[in-house]
């Protein structure tokens, strides 16, 4: 029986394990945290959003980033301190601007496909993850941004997405709790939201029922590349215990640190950690519950997204280019709280839990899925801000790729 080692127990690692185990492979998942889904798959914005499939490789995004560079509370923040990784990544990012249209359409198609795979997994395994299938409403506060969004919307529609323009009054009819005026919006009724941590944890338990092994509290120090089977040098229990594990194939789903493992395997994989923040506002009283929106929102000007997750209101946003920095900075969290108070004044913000995570982004904003240079090495990583949205589809792509070169007996 072929043994497959998956590095990373986030959303892409666990969906990959599920898809591979369904095919009959013997799968072991390794993660440095004690439980699955404890890093980037812990408290993201919650949106399963084909409507957010527009890649960022555009001149407009670059110009906004330059204007925002010196604002500490800007939606997009770049630490100008020199780093070869950061600036080489940015150069490759700008070189991808000519592929903006093609990549946006391709990402939209993949996101639409992914939704059904994810819903099927949840139904088959009975996973409760606060799913809301009420659509996603993008709101715009002025005519210029609305018209710019109309141009981007043609690409999403070209990718097969049902998404239509609404007036300001229609937007407030879609989500009556929205207290502030807006110029207009775009509504995607087929989009959804849910708790990524609940889903990933539930799917991990389903994987265990199918025979998948999870090795947690495990730091992969080195992977041999001298031949097969591959040998993983695993540190356990805070580095006090060293183990050697063998595998016929390696699948790298390690988020922002996938680049390190790719180098060990002789592959070039340019992934940069782009930090995002969220707050979980606990709706502890009836007034807050009534005043929180049920329809998921994206405020284009603030680059803020929202999700209703049962008795919590998740508000997320910002993109920070600052390396592997996990500091939760007050000046980055406060705009999320202020935005909530402004647009939804009936929500009490007395119990707010902040969080940050590192999105693994490639320069072209497209995930890397498929084989590496060496036989038996595969990747399913680099999903950026759309890991929750795309993972169920890329897991199927990964499984198909593995099946071509690692047949079952």
């Amino acid at each position: 029986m072929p043994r497959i080692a998956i590095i990373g127990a986030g959303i892409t690692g666990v969906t990959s394990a599920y898809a591979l185990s369904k095919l009959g492979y013997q799968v072991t998942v390794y993660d440095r945290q004690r439980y699955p889904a404890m890093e980037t798959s812990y408290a993201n914005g919650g949106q399963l959003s084909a409507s957010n499939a527009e890649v960022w490789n555009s001149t407009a995004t670059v110009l906004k980033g330059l204007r925002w560079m010196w604002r500490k509370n800007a939606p997009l923040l770049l630490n100008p301190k020199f780093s070869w990784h950061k600036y080489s990544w940015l150069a490759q990012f700008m070189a991808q601007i000519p592929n903006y249209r093609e990549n946006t359409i391709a990402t939209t198609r993949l996101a639409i496909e992914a939704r059904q795979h994810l819903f099927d997994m949840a139904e088959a395994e009975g996973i409760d993850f606060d799913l809301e299938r009420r659509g996603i409403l993008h709101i715009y506060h002025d005519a210029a941004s609305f018209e710019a969004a109309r141009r981007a919307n043609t690409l999403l529609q070209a990718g097969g997405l049902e998404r239509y323009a609404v007036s300001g009054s229609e937007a407030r009819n879609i989500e009556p709790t929205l207290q502030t005026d807006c110029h207009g919006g775009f509504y995607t009724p087929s989009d959804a939201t849910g708790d990524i941590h609940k889903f990933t944890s539930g799917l991990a338990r389903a994987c265990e029922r199918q025979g998948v092994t999870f090795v947690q509290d495990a730091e992969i120090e080195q992977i041999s590349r001298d031949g097969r089977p591959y040998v993983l040098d695993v540190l356990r229990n805070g580095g006090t215990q060293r183990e050697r594990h063998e595998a016929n194939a390696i699948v790298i789903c390690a988020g922002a640190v996938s680049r390190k493992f790719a180098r060990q395997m002789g592959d070039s994989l340019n992934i940069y950690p782009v930090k995002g923040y969220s707050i979980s506002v606990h709706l502890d009283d009836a007034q807050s519950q009534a005043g929180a929106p049920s329809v998921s929102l994206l405020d284009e000007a603030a680059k803020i997204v929202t999700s209703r997750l049962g008795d919590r209101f998740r508000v997320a946003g910002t993109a920070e280019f600052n390396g592997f920095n996990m500091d939760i900075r007050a000046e980055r969290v406060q705009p999320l709280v202020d935005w909530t108070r402004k647009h939804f004044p009936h929500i009490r913000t007395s119990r707010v839990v902040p969080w940050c995570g590192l999105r693994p982004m490639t320069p072209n904003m497209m995930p890397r899925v498929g084989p590496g240079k060496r036989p038996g090495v595969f990747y399913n990583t680099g999903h950026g801000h759309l890991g929750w949205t795309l993972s169920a589809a890329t897991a199927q792509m990964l499984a198909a790729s593995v099946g071509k070169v690692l047949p079952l007996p």
Side-chain angles (χ1 to χ4, degrees):
M1 175 77 69
R3 300 186 303 278
I4 300 177
I6 296 178
I7 301 177
I11 184 65
T12 57
V14 173
T15 52
S16 296
Y18 185 79
L20 289 168
S21 66
K22 281 289 188 183
L23 295 180
Y25 292 104
Q26 182 180 330
V27 179
T28 302
V29 182
Y30 297 84
D31 196 272
R32 61 188 179 186
Q33 299 294 340
R34 179 160 293 187
Y35 311 103
M38 293 302 294
E39 294 196 26
T40 309
S41 299
Y42 187 73
N44 73 350
Q47 291 189 332
L48 294 161
S49 52
S51 59
N52 204 18
E54 180 187 7
V55 298
W56 298 0
N57 308 84
S58 69
T59 303
T61 299
V62 173
L63 293 176
K64 284 179 182 178
L66 292 173
R67 288 198 303 270
W68 287 335
M69 186 176 292
W70 309 112
R71 277 179 48 197
K72 289 186 177 180
N73 63 349
L76 190 155
L77 185 66
L78 171 69
N79 182 344
K81 183 178 179 181
F82 180 77
S83 154
W84 173 252
H85 182 199
K86 177 169 56 187
Y87 281 100
S88 64
W89 187 96
L90 289 169
Q92 291 184 31
F93 173 88
M94 289 187 284
Q96 288 291 327
I97 290 175
N99 299 321
Y100 159 80
R101 184 180 190 279
E102 175 187 353
N103 288 346
T104 295
I105 292 173
T107 304
T108 305
R109 289 172 176 160
L110 187 61
I112 293 170
E113 176 190 347
R115 285 189 307 218
Q116 194 55 53
H117 285 300
L118 187 140
F119 296 153
D120 289 346
M121 290 178 186
E123 183 176 358
E125 304 300 340
I127 301 171
D128 177 8
F129 62 106
D130 295 323
L131 175 64
E132 291 283 358
R133 300 180 68 168
R134 298 173 184 261
I136 294 178
L137 174 65
H138 289 216
I139 57 175
Y140 304 86
H141 299 288
D142 58 76
S145 61
F146 181 74
E147 289 306 315
R150 190 186 298 277
R151 292 189 291 272
N153 192 55
T154 61
L155 302 182
L156 301 178
Q157 290 177 326
L161 186 64
E162 176 197 354
R163 187 170 185 256
Y164 57 87
V166 296
S167 66
S169 60
E170 288 171 329
R172 288 189 297 277
N173 287 336
I174 292 170
E175 182 43 71
T177 63
L178 183 62
Q179 295 291 297
T180 51
D181 291 334
C182 62
H183 175 83
F186 284 89
Y187 181 54
T188 311
S190 58
D191 273 347
T193 58
D195 187 317
I196 187 174
H197 180 71
K198 284 187 175 182
F199 176 86
T200 310
S201 299
L203 192 65
R205 290 190 291 271
C207 286
E208 288 182 308
R209 292 194 295 269
Q210 292 175 189
V212 174
T213 300
F214 282 80
V215 181
Q216 304 285 158
D217 270 333
E219 189 81 38
I220 308 297
E221 190 171 59
Q222 186 70 34
I223 307 171
S224 74
R225 57 179 189 179
D226 299 329
R228 294 166 73 182
Y230 292 104
V231 178
L232 285 72
D233 195 5
V234 184
L235 295 180
R236 306 288 304 279
N237 301 322
T240 61
Q241 177 183 343
R242 185 180 297 272
E243 300 174 355
R244 291 168 64 82
H245 295 212
E246 292 186 351
N248 302 101
I250 305 290
V251 180
I252 296 172
C253 305
V257 297
S258 296
R259 178 172 177 258
K260 178 189 80 170
F261 292 113
R263 280 202 305 265
Q264 290 184 18
M265 306 315 297
D267 290 311
S268 176
L269 180 58
N270 196 359
I271 287 179
Y272 192 82
V274 179
K275 182 159 66 171
Y277 290 81
S278 78
I279 58 172
S280 296
V281 184
H282 287 258
L283 308 174
D284 292 326
D285 57 88
Q287 178 177 296
S288 295
Q289 292 168 13
S294 296
V295 174
S296 179
L297 304 173
L298 188 151
D299 185 332
E300 180 62 31
K303 301 295 183 185
I304 283 175
V305 305
T306 75
S307 298
R308 181 69 175 270
L309 304 174
D311 60 359
R312 294 161 297 148
F313 181 48
R314 179 71 49 78
V315 183
T318 78
E320 185 177 309
F321 289 77
N322 196 21
F324 285 89
N325 179 296
M326 290 292 287
D327 295 340
I328 297 179
R329 299 165 55 186
E331 69 269 23
R332 305 293 284 158
V333 171
Q334 193 60 44
L336 303 178
V337 178
D338 293 342
W339 185 92
T340 303
R341 291 170 174 170
K342 175 182 177 181
H343 295 285
F344 300 97
H346 298 302
I347 296 177
R348 285 177 55 85
T349 52
S350 57
R351 192 155 69 105
V352 172
V353 180
W355 172 87
C356 72
L358 301 177
R359 309 178 186 100
M361 287 196 172
T362 62
N364 66 355
M365 307 291 293
M366 304 289 286
R368 169 73 181 274
V369 186
K373 291 178 183 177
R374 293 181 176 275
V377 175
F378 301 88
Y379 296 91
N380 184 15
T381 188
H383 295 64
H385 66 299
L386 291 176
W388 180 214
T389 296
L390 300 179
S391 59
T394 61
Q396 304 302 317
M397 295 164 58
L398 180 279
S401 179
V402 171
K404 291 178 181 178
V405 298
L406 196 68
L408 288 162

